[in-house]
Amino acid sequence: QQPVQSPQAVILREGEDAVINCSSSKALYSVHWYRQKHGEAPVFLMILLKGGEQKGHDKISASFNEKKQQSSLYLTASQLSYSGTYFCGTELAGADGLTFGKGTHLIIQP
Amino acid sequence: DTGVSQNPRHKITKRGQNVTFRCDPISEHNRLYWYRQTLGQGPEFLTYFQNEAQLEKSRLLSDRFSAERPKGSFSTLEIQRTEQGDSAMYLCASSPRVSSYNEQFFGPGTRLTVL
């Protein structure tokens, strides 16, 4: 079953923060986050395994709440280059293909 | 550029024709995935290989679709008797599957248009 992402779209000014959420009704093995710009392939951002870990690089981080089967992506001090569509992809135990949400459109304005 | 390459980048065909796409994964990545993406949607999983073995198929993969990965290197995805509903971006991804992690790196995709 497809994970649910929220919000569907966000418009920010450069330097503002954003949070994108991803929730699933199934027990997840891992959550993957990707960013896709128009006409390009999805770009891998990070992967979180069950266990409630939080990961991050630069000003992008994410968390995974195993009890709630929810993951959140945090973008701090957003830059123009952060614009794009963010997808979460969920992985179930024993199944290696990812199931992606419908995406969150992020627009960063100067 | 992730190192995953796909050819052709664009394909226009007439309904009923057969088409074949190729994916070259990052070298030494033992896992290869095929996804389909339509406008405004996230990628949808089709199938995946570990080395040359096809281990999982989505129910989206009708009998008109077939995928191969001979010798565990490049992969091909063939669609027979194409339909207009097959128009989409076909994405390939590869993964090294090291320990518990399954990071998947996507290629640029092949955009199929069925007239």
Side-chain angles (χ1 to χ4, degrees):
Chain A
Q1 190 168 358
Q2 189 175 37
V4 177
Q5 287 187 234
S6 63
Q8 289 185 325
V10 184
I11 301 176
L12 297 175
R13 293 278 183 199
E14 198 173 5
E16 293 181 337
D17 302 339
V19 180
I20 300 171
N21 301 302
C22 173
S23 63
S24 174
S25 59
K26 296 195 172 183
L28 301 176
Y29 176 76
S30 68
V31 179
H32 304 226
W33 285 96
Y34 289 83
R35 177 173 59 217
Q36 186 175 33
K37 294 184 182 285
H38 183 69
E40 299 179 6
V43 173
F44 174 78
L45 295 176
M46 64 188 73
I47 179 175
L48 301 103
L49 301 185
K50 62 180 182 179
E53 65 178 291
Q54 183 156 351
K55 298 185 70 174
H57 60 85
D58 197 12
K59 296 175 182 176
I60 300 175
S61 62
S63 62
F64 178 26
N65 186 321
E66 183 183 352
K67 290 183 179 179
K68 296 184 177 181
Q69 302 304 323
Q70 291 178 349
S71 178
S72 295
L73 185 72
Y74 307 94
L75 305 163
T76 58
S78 56
Q79 306 168 14
L80 294 176
S81 62
Y82 287 1
S83 292
T85 302
Y86 289 78
F87 292 100
C88 68
T90 55
E91 181 182 7
L92 305 179
D96 289 86
L98 299 180
T99 303
F100 286 88
K102 292 188 175 183
T104 295
H105 302 284
L106 179 63
I107 298 173
I108 310 295
Q109 297 177 334
Chain B
D1 184 1
T2 61
V4 179
S5 61
Q6 293 188 243
N7 288 288
R9 295 292 305 277
H10 303 273
K11 179 71 177 179
I12 299 174
T13 190
K14 292 183 179 179
R15 188 175 54 186
Q17 298 293 305
N18 299 341
V19 294
T20 300
F21 311 140
R22 175 177 170 130
C23 170
D24 287 89
I26 296 171
S27 60
E28 299 180 357
H29 277 196
N30 59 357
R31 294 198 169 196
L32 187 150
Y33 302 79
W34 285 100
Y35 290 85
R36 180 176 68 186
Q37 186 176 26
T38 53
L39 196 63
Q41 301 295 319
E44 296 174 294
F45 170 73
L46 294 177
T47 188
Y48 100 93
F49 294 82
Q50 180 164 308
N51 299 313
E52 65 275 9
Q54 190 172 14
L55 296 185
E56 192 176 340
K57 293 182 188 180
S58 162
R59 63 178 181 275
L60 291 175
L61 210 68
S62 75
D63 56 6
R64 296 185 298 105
F65 288 70
S66 62
E68 295 182 341
R69 193 184 182 195
K71 303 178 183 178
S73 55
F74 71 91
S75 176
T76 58
L77 177 69
E78 180 183 16
I79 308 175
Q80 296 182 327
R81 304 181 304 280
T82 52
E83 302 172 355
Q84 288 186 324
D86 296 331
S87 294
M89 176 75 84
Y90 288 84
L91 295 164
C92 171
S94 70
S95 168
R97 189 72 198 213
V98 175
S99 67
S100 302
Y101 291 91
N102 185 27
E103 299 102 317
Q104 298 180 25
F105 299 94
F106 283 86
T110 295
R111 181 167 296 283
L112 173 66
T113 302
V114 181
L115 302 176

